[in-house]
């Protein structure tokens, strides 16, 4: 239902630019030999040569129309050239057309606030640019006016027999006695003509334009004279335009509302609405819709041009007409997987290039049943929160489809496959991602801290600032698909977190608890790690649910001993220690092992981070310790910096994006452990498995 919006003054200058048979122009730019020839762009399939998506003006003269089948077009126009839309994943790939549309938008946005309405149409608010031109170089002061502007169509401007149309247009543009609104429109005519020429020179595309005081009138005007022309609607010509405009031609009146106006009120033209009062229209169609209809009849619209260069949503769909209808769940699953894969790819590109995320996943479908009684029913659209990642989107889309199918057929009529008596068929599927918003500045992915090249693991590049978890809302992308996946928003200041290391000996590690926060103090040097000797360590001990690892550990330790005795005499001491450490790490899957595998320099940090976890707060600190193997450390202890975040703000879905080998441990940290009423609380954490002195 249309909603009445506040009506602003008509002193604005709004332009609507529409690309002329855009898909054809894109193909003609690829193949210049097609210019000037009857051409159409076809989405090919085996049924009657596919469907025509765009038809050149040369082909339209022969009677070729959009949505004709390719075979029909050849019968009407044998010399027509059919350019096929690229195919990816068994469906049309429109990326080349989207990219071409972005070229045009980038040019048009230079002059004013720009709203990309679709792949081939744009709204521009040129009010500020027109005001500036009127103040500095008004049209009446121009000696020469571009020929493109002089070819403009100005509604209401009469051309007497034998008069020069260009001279009449120039006279209208250069009137010194015109009111302020018409002078602004005259400036808008010159600006739009110049923009259209820039688009042609830089992209080889032509476009048509409508210029008026609001979006509604500008869109109507842009379609009146095509191709490569522009039309102006002054305030004095609005009534003449609308009184003869069929009601179905007006935006938002082409469906049920327009049919209702025709049947119940006898309204066939937009101008016919003038005979009804606002109160009468409100009684028939409600307050908002009634007021909106009253304004439409007078050419009034308060809809603002949104400053948006990027699409509001992403979608992927495919139709299955006639015998190609999908009649089984496996076939639906196959095509949903293909559509979701394309959608996920586009979301990933949007995330990487524009730092935007979508919040809602929606599924639409067209369906039919063999039962006549259900033929009027429509397949219900279903939505859910969008989870990033191809597999997750595929799973959610299938769940939405099954929910919609149950509602469409009834809970007891769902069948995995249709049959002649009571089957169903799917004639169209589409998935879309909406509610797209920008990622707040200063946010980054948590996966950044698991990468070896990350500055957190590079002591030589560390700064002195803090960072902390900022936004509890999260989203995730498959790690295998992107290195810039976003799993959790984190606030990163201009500097980098300071990590201080006062000693590499883990024997003096102490546990500290602080409510709802993790505090990890470090020293500024890690040089002692290079000389640390870990060759003599106490065997690890396990208890509770980890006791099943003891036999494996014992076997592993014996293997280490045999390896040591075999190569003891033939290897240098440092090389033996490296060998023993690598063998000891095997069989102990852990967050620490993951950190070491990604970047050895992260070893100390990861052990500290894993030291102690509590139900609602986690705290770990690294204190001073004695020197290792006689290596002396500086007595100057630098001030410790803290790394803090709230455990309660961690989204559990983040865990699914971590490597499988550490998911169980991290879930254990975040999940409260049940204890008997009289049992004594024990601090058990992953660090206990790596401490050489502390045993459970």
């Amino acid at each position: 239902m249309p909603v009445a919006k506040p009506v602003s003054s008509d002193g604005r200058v709004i332009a609507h630019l529409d690309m002329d048979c855009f898909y054809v122009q894109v193909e003609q730019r690829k193949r210049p030999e097609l210019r000037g020839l009857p051409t159409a762009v076809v989405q090919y399939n085996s049924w009657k040569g596919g469907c025509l998506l765009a038809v050149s003006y040369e082909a339209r003269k022969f009677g070729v129309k959009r949505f004709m089948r390719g075979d029909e077009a050849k019968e009407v126009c044998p010399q027509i050239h059919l350019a096929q839309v690229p195919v990816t994943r068994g469906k049309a790939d429109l990326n080349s057309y989207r990219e071409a549309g972005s070229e045009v938008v980038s040019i048009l946005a230079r002059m004013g606030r720009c709203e990309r309405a679709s792949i081939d149409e744009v709204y521009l608010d040129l009010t500020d640019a027109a005001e500036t031109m009127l103040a500095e170089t008004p049209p009446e002061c121009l000696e020469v006016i571009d020929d493109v502007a002089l070819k403009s169509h100005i509604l209401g401007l009469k051309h007497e027999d034998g008069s020069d149309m260009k001279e009449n247009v120039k006279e209208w543009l250069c009137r010194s006695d015109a009111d302020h609104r018409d002078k602004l429109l005259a400036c808008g005519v010159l600006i739009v003509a110049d923009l259209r020429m820039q688009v042609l020179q830089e992209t080889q595309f032509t476009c048509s334009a409508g210029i008026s005081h609001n979006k509604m009138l500008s869109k109507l005007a842009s379609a009146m004279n095509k191709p490569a022309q522009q039309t102006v609607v002054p305030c004095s010509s609005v009534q003449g335009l609308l009184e003869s405009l069929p009601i179905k031609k007006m935006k938002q009146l082409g469906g049920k509302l327009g049919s209702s106006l025709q049947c119940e009120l006898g309204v066939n033209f937009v101008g016919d609405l003038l005979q009804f009062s606002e109160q009468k229209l409100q009684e028939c169609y409600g307050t908002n819709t009634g007021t909106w209809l009253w304004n439409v009849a007078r050419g009034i619209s308060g809809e603002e041009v949104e400053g948006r260069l990027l699409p509001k949503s992403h979608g992927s769909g495919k139709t299955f007409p006639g015998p190609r209808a999908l009649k089984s769940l496996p076939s639906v699953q196959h095509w949903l997987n293909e559509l979701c894969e394309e959608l996920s790819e586009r979301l990933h590109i949007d995330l990487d290039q524009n730092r935007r995320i979508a919040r809602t996943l929606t599924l639409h479908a067209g369906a039919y049943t063999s039962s006549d009684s259900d033929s009027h029913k429509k397949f219900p659209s279903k939505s859910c929160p969008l989870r990033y990642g191809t597999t997750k989107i595929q799973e959610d889309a299938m769940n939405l489809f099954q929910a919609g199918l149950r509602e469409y057929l009834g809970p007891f009529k769902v069948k995995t496959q249709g049959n002649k008596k009571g089957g169903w068929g799917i004639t169209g599927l589409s998935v879309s991602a909406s509610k797209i918003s920008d990622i707040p500045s200063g946010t980054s992915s948590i996966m950044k801290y698991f990468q070896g090249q990350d500055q957190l693991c590079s002591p030589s590049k560390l700064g002195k600032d803090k960072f902390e978890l900022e936004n509890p809302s999260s989203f995730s992308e498959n790690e295998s698909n992107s290195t810039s996946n976003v799993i959790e928003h984190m606030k990163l200041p201009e500097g980098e977190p300071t990590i201080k290391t006062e000693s590499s000996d883990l024997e003096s590690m102490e546990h500290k608890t602080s409510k709802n926060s993790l505090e990890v103090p470090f020293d500024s040097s890690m040089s002692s790690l290079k000389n640390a000797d870990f060759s003599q360590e106490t065997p690890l001990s396990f208890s509770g649910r980890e006791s099943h690892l003891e036999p494996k550990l014992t076997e592993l330790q014996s293997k280490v001993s045999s390896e040591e005795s075999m190569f003891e005499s033939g290897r240098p001491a440092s090389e033996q220690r490296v060998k023993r450490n690598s063998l000891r790490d095997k069989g102990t899957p852990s967050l620490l092992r993951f950190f070491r595998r990604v970047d050895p320099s992260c070893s100390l940090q990861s052990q500290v981070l894993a030291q102690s976890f509590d139900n609602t707060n986690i705290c770990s600190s690294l204190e001073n310790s004695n020197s290792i193997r006689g290596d002396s450390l500086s007595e100057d202890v630098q001030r410790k910096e803290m790394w803090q975040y709230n455990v309660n703000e961690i989204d559990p879905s983040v865990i699914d994006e971590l490597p499988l080998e550490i998911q169980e441990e991290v879930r254990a940290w975040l999940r409260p452990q049940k204890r008997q009423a009289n049992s004594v609380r024990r601090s058990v954490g992953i660090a206990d498995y790596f401490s050489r002195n502390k045993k459970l």
Side-chain angles (χ1 to χ4, degrees):
M1 277 291 185
V3 177
K5 297 185 178 181
V7 178
S8 59
S9 65
D10 53 3
R12 297 178 299 163
V13 180
I14 307 298
H16 177 263
L17 290 95
D18 188 14
M19 309 306 297
D20 301 319
C21 50
F22 187 47
Y23 288 11
V24 172
Q25 288 200 78
V26 174
E27 295 299 328
Q28 288 176 338
R29 187 172 68 169
K30 296 177 184 177
R31 301 166 57 189
E33 67 273 12
L34 296 180
R35 293 188 185 278
L37 301 178
T39 308
V41 176
V42 59
Q43 183 176 346
Y44 180 79
N45 57 53
S46 57
W47 188 55
K48 295 184 179 181
C51 179
L52 301 189
L53 300 182
V55 181
S56 71
Y57 291 96
E58 294 82 3
R60 296 182 190 185
K61 295 177 182 179
F62 291 90
V64 181
K65 298 180 180 180
R66 192 181 178 195
F67 299 129
M68 265 188 177
R69 308 305 297 183
D71 294 346
E72 296 177 55
K74 289 181 179 179
E75 292 177 2
V76 175
C77 180
Q79 64 269 39
I80 192 171
H81 296 267
L82 298 180
Q84 184 177 338
V85 176
V87 177
T88 304
R89 303 182 184 93
K91 63 178 294 294
D93 182 3
L94 305 181
N95 284 330
S96 60
Y97 308 112
R98 294 190 186 98
E99 293 170 359
S102 297
E103 295 179 42
V104 176
V105 171
S106 64
I107 297 171
L108 299 178
R110 300 170 186 169
M111 190 56 66
R113 187 161 69 248
C114 180
E115 175 185 338
R116 185 173 185 175
S118 71
I119 198 172
D120 61 353
E121 62 176 329
V122 174
Y123 288 101
L124 282 175
D125 189 338
L126 301 173
T127 306
D128 292 341
E131 291 280 9
T132 301
M133 175 180 285
L134 186 60
E136 298 177 356
T137 56
E140 59 263 29
C141 297
L142 298 177
E143 297 182 0
V144 179
I145 296 180
D146 192 84
D147 192 61
V148 176
L150 294 178
K151 292 180 180 179
S152 301
H153 299 267
I154 302 175
L155 295 187
L157 181 62
K158 297 180 180 180
H159 304 285
E160 298 180 0
D161 295 338
S163 62
D164 188 351
M165 176 181 172
K166 292 183 180 179
E167 285 297 326
N168 291 340
V169 172
K170 182 176 181 180
E171 182 180 345
W172 188 91
L173 294 175
C174 299
R175 290 179 303 162
S176 58
D177 59 343
D179 62 18
H180 185 71
R181 297 174 302 177
D182 282 355
K183 287 185 177 181
L184 286 178
L185 281 184
C187 294
V189 169
L190 300 178
I191 294 171
V192 171
D194 182 61
L195 285 173
R196 289 176 49 232
M197 287 303 300
Q198 291 183 41
V199 171
L200 180 61
Q201 293 170 1
E202 297 184 31
T203 67
Q204 304 177 35
F205 299 146
T206 65
C207 59
S208 299
I211 307 160
S212 186
H213 292 298
N214 59 52
K215 292 173 67 174
M216 177 183 69
L217 296 175
S218 297
K219 183 173 178 62
L220 288 174
S222 66
M224 296 181 68
N225 296 283
K226 293 174 72 85
Q229 300 179 71
Q230 60 188 48
T231 305
V232 187
V233 184
C235 292
S236 58
S237 303
V238 173
Q239 185 175 350
L241 169 65
L242 297 180
E243 67 182 5
S244 59
L245 183 70
I247 195 72
K248 290 282 189 176
K249 293 290 184 180
M250 178 64 72
K251 183 181 179 182
Q252 294 183 323
L253 292 179
K256 292 182 178 180
L257 181 56
S259 299
S260 174
L261 288 170
Q262 289 178 321
C263 297
E264 298 180 12
L265 299 182
V267 174
N268 294 314
F269 300 96
V270 176
D272 294 343
L273 289 170
L274 290 172
Q275 61 184 303
F276 301 100
S277 65
E278 182 176 2
Q279 182 179 359
K280 173 63 175 178
L281 294 173
Q282 288 178 340
E283 290 175 358
C284 295
Y285 298 101
T287 302
N288 286 334
T289 303
T291 299
W292 179 79
L293 289 171
W294 190 87
N295 288 330
V296 163
R298 291 155 178 80
I300 301 173
S301 173
E303 186 178 2
E304 297 285 344
V305 174
E306 302 176 19
R308 184 184 68 246
L309 305 182
L310 300 171
K312 293 192 296 184
S313 63
H314 296 293
S316 178
K318 184 173 176 63
T319 58
F320 309 95
R324 298 175 57 238
L326 308 179
K327 299 181 180 180
S328 65
L329 289 180
S331 62
V332 172
Q333 177 76 76
H334 166 76
W335 281 109
L336 276 181
N337 288 347
E338 297 294 326
L339 298 177
C340 291
E341 186 175 347
E342 178 186 348
L343 179 63
S344 179
E345 181 179 309
R346 291 174 60 189
L347 288 171
H348 165 74
I349 293 173
D350 196 8
L351 175 62
D352 284 350
Q353 295 181 354
N354 307 311
R355 291 186 58 77
R356 301 196 309 161
I357 57 172
R359 304 290 183 182
T360 301
L361 175 69
T362 304
L363 178 133
H364 299 279
Y368 69 86
T369 62
S370 57
S371 172
D372 293 336
S373 61
D374 293 334
S375 60
H376 66 283
K377 289 186 62 176
K378 289 187 177 181
F379 195 97
S381 300
K382 295 292 180 181
S383 300
C384 70
L386 189 146
R387 300 187 298 159
Y388 270 63
T390 302
T391 302
K392 292 179 180 178
I393 295 176
Q394 291 170 342
E395 292 174 355
D396 292 344
M398 190 60 189
N399 290 336
L400 292 176
F401 174 81
Q402 291 177 326
L405 186 62
R406 284 193 296 270
E407 184 176 331
Y408 180 66
L409 299 177
F412 304 107
K413 297 181 181 179
V414 177
K415 297 181 174 66
T416 20
Q417 185 169 333
N419 54 49
K420 294 182 180 180
K421 293 183 179 181
W424 49 266
I426 301 299
T427 58
L429 280 175
S430 70
V431 288
S432 62
S434 58
K435 294 186 179 179
I436 301 178
S437 59
D438 295 333
I439 299 176
S441 59
T443 60
S444 182
S445 167
I446 193 173
M447 291 306 297
K448 175 180 177 182
Y449 304 102
F450 291 91
Q451 297 171 1
Q453 68 272 22
D454 187 78
Q455 295 176 346
L456 178 62
C457 299
S458 303
S460 62
K461 298 180 180 181
L462 299 176
K464 296 182 178 181
D465 293 320
K466 302 177 181 179
F467 68 97
E468 62 185 23
L469 193 67
E470 178 187 50
N471 194 335
S473 62
S474 66
F475 59 98
S476 59
E477 173 73 291
N478 282 353
E479 184 180 352
S480 60
N481 292 341
S482 170
T483 58
S484 62
N485 303 321
V486 182
I487 299 178
E488 186 75 58
H489 299 305
M490 280 192 166
K491 179 180 179 182
L492 294 176
E494 296 179 357
E496 299 167 350
T498 300
I499 298 180
K500 299 182 179 181
T501 312
E502 298 178 5
S503 173
S504 60
D505 189 1
L506 300 181
E507 291 183 345
S508 62
M509 197 176 294
E510 298 179 359
H511 298 276
K512 293 184 178 181
T513 304
S514 176
K515 186 175 182 180
N516 293 332
S517 66
L518 171 65
E519 302 182 355
V520 186
F522 294 105
D523 193 48
S524 60
S525 172
M526 295 183 66
S527 59
S528 58
L529 276 176
K530 300 179 180 178
N531 300 321
D533 188 356
F534 293 86
S535 60
Q536 299 179 2
E537 293 194 15
T538 306
L540 305 179
S541 60
F542 299 85
S543 65
R545 61 184 180 86
E546 293 83 10
S547 60
H548 65 281
L549 296 177
E550 271 194 278
K552 294 183 179 180
L553 183 61
T554 304
E555 179 183 352
L556 181 61
Q557 289 174 337
S558 63
K559 181 178 179 180
V560 172
S561 300
S562 62
E563 291 284 341
E564 289 177 351
S565 60
M566 182 180 300
F567 299 102
E568 182 70 23
S569 58
R571 294 182 180 272
S574 60
E575 192 171 342
Q576 294 171 15
R577 287 194 297 272
V578 172
K579 180 67 176 178
R580 284 194 293 270
N581 289 338
S582 64
L583 289 173
R584 183 167 53 254
D585 284 342
K586 293 181 179 179
T588 57
S590 158
L591 179 61
L592 174 61
R593 179 182 173 192
F594 176 72
F595 272 93
R596 283 179 172 172
R597 185 175 67 251
V598 174
D599 189 345
S601 66
C602 293
S603 176
L604 181 60
Q605 290 94 313
S606 60
Q607 295 185 54
V608 175
L609 292 178
Q611 189 60 203
S612 177
F613 289 83
D614 196 85
N615 182 19
T616 58
N617 55 75
I618 309 174
C619 177
S620 175
S621 63
L622 180 63
E623 302 293 346
N624 296 336
S625 65
N626 297 327
S627 61
I628 302 176
R629 296 286 184 180
D631 293 336
S632 61
L633 297 176
S634 172
E635 296 180 358
D636 298 331
V637 180
Q638 300 182 6
R639 182 174 59 87
K640 301 178 178 62
E641 298 289 345
M642 299 298 180
W643 175 21
Q644 300 181 348
Y645 66 85
N646 244 333
V647 174
N648 292 333
E649 293 179 347
I650 297 179
D651 190 332
S653 64
V654 173
I655 309 305
D656 297 334
E657 303 302 325
L658 297 175
L660 293 176
E661 56 198 42
I662 64 172
Q663 286 188 19
E664 182 179 352
E665 292 176 279
V666 176
R667 286 193 180 96
W669 300 340
L670 303 179
R671 182 174 60 248
Q673 299 293 332
K674 295 182 179 180
R675 304 194 309 271
Q676 296 180 358
N678 298 326
S679 62
V680 179
R681 181 173 179 174
R682 304 171 64 184
S683 176
V684 179
I686 187 173
D688 294 287
Y689 305 146
F690 302 94
S691 175
R692 289 180 289 176
N693 294 329
K694 184 174 180 178
K695 298 183 179 181
L696 298 176

